Amino acid sequence: MESAIQTIVTTFVTSARGKESLDKKAAQKLVQKHFSGLMEDTNCSSAVKEMLSGLDENTDGKINFPEYMKLVGHIAKSLSERQAAGEQAAA
C-alpha cells in the first residue's frame, strides 16, 4: 500500500516538474501515459481535455494535487465496483 501511495505522489510531482499543479499539456500526458490501461478514450485528445476540464474545480486551467487525487479516487472506485460486480457474477 505504501508503495502505491508513493507512486501516486511521485507521478504527480514528476509530471508537474516540481510545480504545484499540472498545466494542460502535462496533465494530458500523465493521463495518457499512466491511466491508459484503466480508462477508456485516453488516446482521444478531446475526451481527455474534456475530462480534465471537469476536474479543474477552480477553473484555473491547471490540475492541482487535490484535483488529481479526485481522478485517482474516481479510478479506484470504478475498479472496486468492477471487481465487486465480477465477484457477484462468479458466485
Side-chain angles (χ1 to χ4, degrees):
M1 182 66 99
E2 287 178 38
S3 66
I5 293 170
Q6 282 185 317
T7 299
I8 289 168
V9 172
T10 301
T11 299
F12 179 86
V13 171
T14 302
S15 297
R17 297 183 182 142
K19 297 179 182 172
E20 291 186 15
S21 58
L22 300 163
D23 62 27
K24 290 179 183 181
K25 187 175 180 179
Q28 187 166 357
K29 281 184 179 182
L30 182 147
V31 168
Q32 291 172 328
K33 181 177 181 182
H34 297 284
F35 297 128
S36 63
L38 301 171
M39 296 173 61
E40 295 179 11
D41 295 334
T42 57
N43 60 347
C44 177
S45 199
S46 61
V48 173
K49 285 179 184 177
E50 183 178 332
M51 183 264 307
L52 291 171
S53 178
L55 285 175
D56 185 14
E57 290 184 345
N58 61 1
T59 63
D60 65 352
K62 299 175 186 175
I63 301 299
N64 60 33
F65 190 76
E67 292 166 339
Y68 164 74
M69 286 306 299
K70 288 188 183 207
L71 172 62
V72 172
H74 173 73
I75 293 169
K77 182 179 179 213
S78 294
L79 285 173
S80 174
E81 289 170 353
R82 278 190 254 167
Q83 285 184 344
E87 288 175 9
Q88 287 177 354

